[in-house]
Amino acid sequence: TLNELQMLENNAVASLAEVDNHKPDYLNAIGERTAAFEPLDKLVTRVLRVAETLDLNETALKALKELVRRIHGTRAVPKKTTTNSNDPNTDPANEHKYVSVSERSFTQRIEHFAQIIALLRAEPKYAPYEQDLTCNALELFHNKMVTTNQAAEIASYPLGTARNHRNQILYADTTGLVDVAHDVKKYVRGALGQDSNEYKMIQKLEFKKTKV
């Protein structure tokens, strides 16, 4: 009925507004986390360069290098690439060389950095003059990473819930707005004919299931 169609439209509009209302907090939290993590790669590289001058034991230095490699997301052994231009699957442009998406996740980078700090704490020779490379400074940096990552995760929950609610209203099988709109177009075509003015007015209206 027309009343039910109007109610479905109202619910759809409200669900879109709900998503938009949660986006600012989420985007702000993501931005703060990105800013907090941005110096990490260069920071751990500097830590490693200092450690390499301190005559640390070989096992500790090897472990440090491995943790830095994981934070950078590089492969222990660089992946070989091929220049076969006839095969798009082997095109170097499509190769994700040196990058491990899983190891570059925020949680894992936090864990790897915590292990670096623990390793350096156990090395009496590690006492850099630069204040931002001291273990205390590194721990402060680590705490900021943890805090901003938690804030981003917390902000993602209401946005995710709102998106799921919106998708259900718009895209649910049979009862979602998209399927209902398709049925309405079919109904008008069947009831009034494809040459009717009413059907011509709605014929080109598109409704697609696109989850964002």
Side-chain angles (χ1 to χ4, degrees), residues 144-202:
K144 187 175 183 180
M145 291 167 61
V146 171
T147 300
T148 57
N149 187 54
Q150 289 176 341
E153 290 180 348
I154 291 172
S156 71
Y157 297 145
L159 178 60
T161 300
R163 283 174 169 167
N164 288 336
H165 182 231
R166 176 205 59 193
N167 290 343
Q168 183 66 22
I169 291 175
L170 296 181
Y171 307 128
D173 292 340
T174 306
T175 59
L177 184 145
V178 172
D179 281 2
V180 170
H182 289 159
D183 284 344
V184 169
K185 292 175 69 175
K186 292 177 183 177
Y187 184 92
V188 173
R189 181 179 182 180
L192 303 179
Q194 66 180 13
D195 294 327
S196 66
N197 290 332
E198 291 82 357
Y199 181 69
K200 289 179 179 179
M201 290 175 62
I202 65 174

Side-chain angles (χ1 to χ4, degrees), residues 15 22 37 39 65 69 91 104 134 147 152-153 165 167 171 184 193 196 202 209 212:
S15 72
H22 288 297
F37 276 71
K65 288 180 179 180
R69 180 193 68 77
D91 187 339
R104 287 184 64 85
T134 64
T147 300
E153 290 180 348
H165 182 231
N167 290 343
Y171 307 128
V184 169
S196 66
I202 65 174
K209 294 187 178 183
V212 187

